[in-house]
Amino acid sequence: MSVVGESVDGAVVVGEREIVSKPGRSLVREWPVQVILLVIGFVISLPIIIAVLMSFTPLREIVGRANPQFFPDQWTFENYRTAWTATPFFRFMINSAIQTGVITIFQVVFSILAAYAFAMFSFRGKGFLFGLLIASLMIPFELTFIPNFIMVSNLGWANTYQGLTVPFLASAFGVFMFRQFFMSVPRDLYEAAKIDGASDWFYLWRIMVPLSKGAVAAFGIFSFLGAWNQFLWPLIITNEESMRTAQIGIRFFLINQERATDWGAIMAGSAIVMVPTLLAFLVAQKQLVKGIAASGLKG
Amino acid sequence: MSRQNTSAYLYILPTFAVLGLFVYFPIIASARLSLNRVAPFGNQEIWVGLGNYTRLLQDPEFWDTIRVSVLMTAGTIVGVGVAVGIAILLSVPMRRLSWLHRSLIFVPVVISSAIAGVLFRLLYNPVVGFFNYWLSLVGIDGPNWLNSRSWALTAVTITVVWRQIGFNVIIALAGLQQIDEQLYEAAKVDGAGVIARVRKITLPLLTPTLFFLLIVNVIISLQTFGEINILTDGGPGRATTNLVYSVFVDAFVGTSFRGFASAQAFLLAILIVVISFVQFRGLGKRVHYG
């Protein structure tokens, strides 16, 4: 691959050897990489592809075949009907939607508020409180879930939306992330708004937050994925079928039919549960990937 | 400044109220629980001091859970190696990946532990699953993965590795992107081959990223729960019961031993806090060049 004609700052061309110092130029030839990439990507996503294809395969084909095969001979929606009617799947999805919606909205709002205080105000104990906040990031959920279960049960919140959501309404990670972003907004803007008579409350919601749309979107997606995919807490805090979230619903749907497992219906159920996160991924993939990459670089 | 003082506390109040009730206070409650024996119905507590801990250290089942946790972590580290290998092999800057490529490689990032468990339970199924069919194509008689004492842990670990791979490749690619390409060019001009370049440039400069990946993956693998719950329920026997799963079983399944479970949770937490702390320190010192 020759790049003659592409002159880049500091690039030296030695003989016929091409030197590409333009950032972002791959040194590997283009199309083989694309093919290898596609194969690796296909292998990685295969479990999901198989699940989706099987959700459209009639049960008699799944159990009747000598060897498993990817594509159904005859496509069917029957599995979706089975999953939808054999369990209160609609109810599970509604429960998950409420649980996830509440957690995401509160985490975003509470984190923005706290982050604003840590970024803009000076107050006694600020350093200590921020340290306390960061320290909470190291505390694994396993340490707190037994006392939380006891407390939430004693409040009578088992099998309620409060029980599913209240313990997760705040996010130390969110505060940390928004604080970083708020601190990067020029202080002059704040001073100017103050001179114009803006209150902190007005400045935060009318100027700061609109400027931080990207950060809100990125954290909102993290928060949404985390809440939707929760497993351990909803498993222990709900024991009534009507209060199960989608993740717990699919678990019992699978576990309860141990003898003759209806794999088509289970894969249909799994597909339904995956749809919101897959949609979020496909729509906001770039922000999500960027967010994860940035979290790795900054530690 | 005094006006700012008071309103600042109002801004941080909601966050600290939630964290106080559901993170800070439970740490103390958990410590106290671990020093008591709690009657199965949770209405009577008997102070036993460090009794739960000494009992734990003498319990062979506890050491089994440690063994399971360590083996699973080792498997996850192999998974990190695979992810970094893929990233290096490609060393394609992320923005040059097409939408399709990115979607296919990174998609496990959004899959829950429960769904991962369900998908792999199908793949491991000896009749309708694909793994043993693929193995049979190359002449291998596959094990009964989830019901085999010697293979169940491998099966769970593979699932955990799969769910992490998208995240790991993203982080590794981001790390690779930070390396100045002119270094490779200089080395190439000096006659260094591909392997030499990877060994002498890529890996040393990627150390901070590798370190981060290692720590995060160790912490995640120590916390594996959903996959175990759906794939094996900790079995067969206790072959896939890690420390987290043991805490869950002792606290919530059948007769509950919350004090004993809390002691295990506390040990796990100390382990994770220590590992996180190493990460913070490592980042402070800027782990470069090994």
Side-chain angles (χ1 to χ4, degrees), chain A residues 13 22-23 35 41 44-45 48 58 64-65 96 108 114 199 267 271 285:
Chain A
V13 179
K22 197 178 198 173
V35 172
I44 290 176
S45 50
I48 299 167
R65 285 176 186 147
S96 272
V108 169
S199 66
M267 291 305 134
Q285 186 206 60

Side-chain angles (χ1 to χ4, degrees), chain A residues 38-206:
Chain A
L38 210 57
V39 171
I40 291 176
F42 180 71
V43 169
I44 290 176
S45 50
L46 200 54
I48 299 167
I49 297 169
I50 287 176
V52 171
L53 289 175
M54 189 170 277
S55 75
F56 293 110
T57 309
L59 183 60
R60 65 190 140 73
E61 275 187 43
I62 296 172
V63 296
R65 285 176 186 147
N67 292 318
Q69 93 186 30
F70 288 140
F71 290 96
D73 295 326
Q74 202 180 358
W75 295 70
T76 177
F77 277 105
E78 193 55 40
N79 295 322
Y80 285 88
R81 195 173 313 139
T82 310
W84 203 253
T85 51
T87 60
F89 230 94
F90 182 68
R91 179 71 201 230
F92 298 159
M93 294 297 279
I94 295 289
N95 290 342
S96 272
I98 292 172
Q99 170 233 11
T100 304
V102 169
I103 289 177
T104 306
I105 290 168
F106 275 89
Q107 281 194 357
V108 169
V109 173
F110 283 1
S111 299
I112 284 175
L113 285 175
Y116 187 77
F118 280 117
M120 308 300 290
F121 295 153
S122 57
F123 52 95
R124 275 184 68 176
K126 181 174 166 179
F128 170 75
L129 288 169
F130 193 67
L132 198 63
L133 188 80
I134 296 307
S136 80
L137 285 172
M138 289 198 290
I139 303 302
F141 183 64
E142 288 75 17
L143 183 58
T144 55
F145 83 110
I146 298 173
N148 279 342
F149 173 81
I150 296 171
M151 178 163 53
V152 169
S153 304
N154 287 343
L155 285 169
W157 284 0
N159 292 307
T160 65
Y161 291 118
Q162 301 93 287
L164 282 171
T165 55
V166 174
F168 307 99
L169 296 186
S171 163
F173 172 70
V175 178
F176 185 71
M177 204 185 120
F178 283 121
R179 172 181 164 273
Q180 296 288 94
F181 196 87
F182 291 165
M183 290 198 313
S184 71
V185 175
R187 190 86 193 180
D188 294 352
L189 201 61
Y190 180 66
E191 307 298 346
K194 279 272 140 158
I195 291 168
D196 286 346
S199 66
D200 275 303
W201 190 254
F202 181 90
Y203 180 72
L204 169 59
W205 294 107
R206 290 302 168 86

Side-chain angles (χ1 to χ4, degrees), chain B residues 59-284:
Chain B
D59 186 351
E61 283 197 347
F62 169 72
W63 294 105
D64 268 350
T65 64
I66 296 288
R67 193 184 57 90
V68 169
S69 296
V70 168
L71 287 175
M72 207 178 276
T73 302
T76 317
I77 292 172
V78 174
V80 172
V82 172
V84 171
I86 291 175
I88 290 178
L89 190 73
L90 304 169
S91 51
V92 177
M94 218 170 326
R95 62 175 165 281
R96 307 203 50 207
L97 293 176
S98 76
W99 182 84
L100 179 67
H101 286 132
R102 270 202 312 260
S103 301
L104 290 173
I105 296 173
F106 302 149
V107 70
V109 161
V110 300
I111 303 299
S112 71
S113 58
I115 295 294
V118 174
L119 300 187
F120 275 73
R121 191 153 158 168
L122 167 71
L123 296 177
Y124 289 126
N125 186 289
V127 182
V128 299
F130 283 78
F131 279 161
N132 282 357
Y133 169 61
W134 290 330
L135 287 174
S136 76
L137 292 180
V138 290
I140 298 172
D141 192 14
N144 189 349
W145 293 93
L146 300 177
N147 294 317
S148 149
R149 269 178 178 279
S150 34
W151 286 102
L153 184 58
T154 308
V156 172
T157 307
I158 289 173
T159 313
V160 176
V161 166
W162 175 76
R163 202 161 75 86
Q164 275 306 108
I165 201 157
F167 173 85
N168 291 342
V169 173
I170 293 175
I171 301 278
L173 279 178
L176 286 170
Q177 222 165 309
Q178 301 289 99
I179 300 174
D180 189 348
E181 288 204 19
Q182 296 199 10
L183 286 171
Y184 291 109
E185 287 316 317
K188 220 169 161 186
V189 171
D190 290 346
V194 176
I195 293 171
R197 270 177 281 159
V198 168
R199 246 169 42 100
K200 295 277 166 64
I201 300 174
T202 311
L203 289 180
L205 287 175
L206 204 59
T207 315
T209 308
L210 292 175
F211 184 68
F212 172 80
L213 277 177
L214 212 63
I215 297 280
V216 169
N217 279 272
V218 166
I219 292 176
I220 287 173
S221 80
L222 285 175
Q223 294 182 282
T224 302
F225 175 80
E227 291 90 344
I228 297 174
N229 185 259
I230 289 190
L231 286 169
T232 61
D233 194 18
R238 286 173 63 91
T240 54
T241 299
N242 65 358
L243 203 41
V244 181
Y245 211 73
S246 174
V247 172
F248 163 75
V249 170
D250 284 345
F252 294 103
V253 179
T255 320
S256 76
F257 304 98
R258 300 238 161 98
F260 193 51
S262 293
Q264 296 174 64
F266 225 85
L267 288 180
L268 174 69
I270 289 170
L271 197 63
I272 289 176
V273 168
V274 167
I275 294 170
S276 314
F277 204 72
V278 169
Q279 184 202 351
F280 278 131
R281 274 181 53 111
L283 285 174

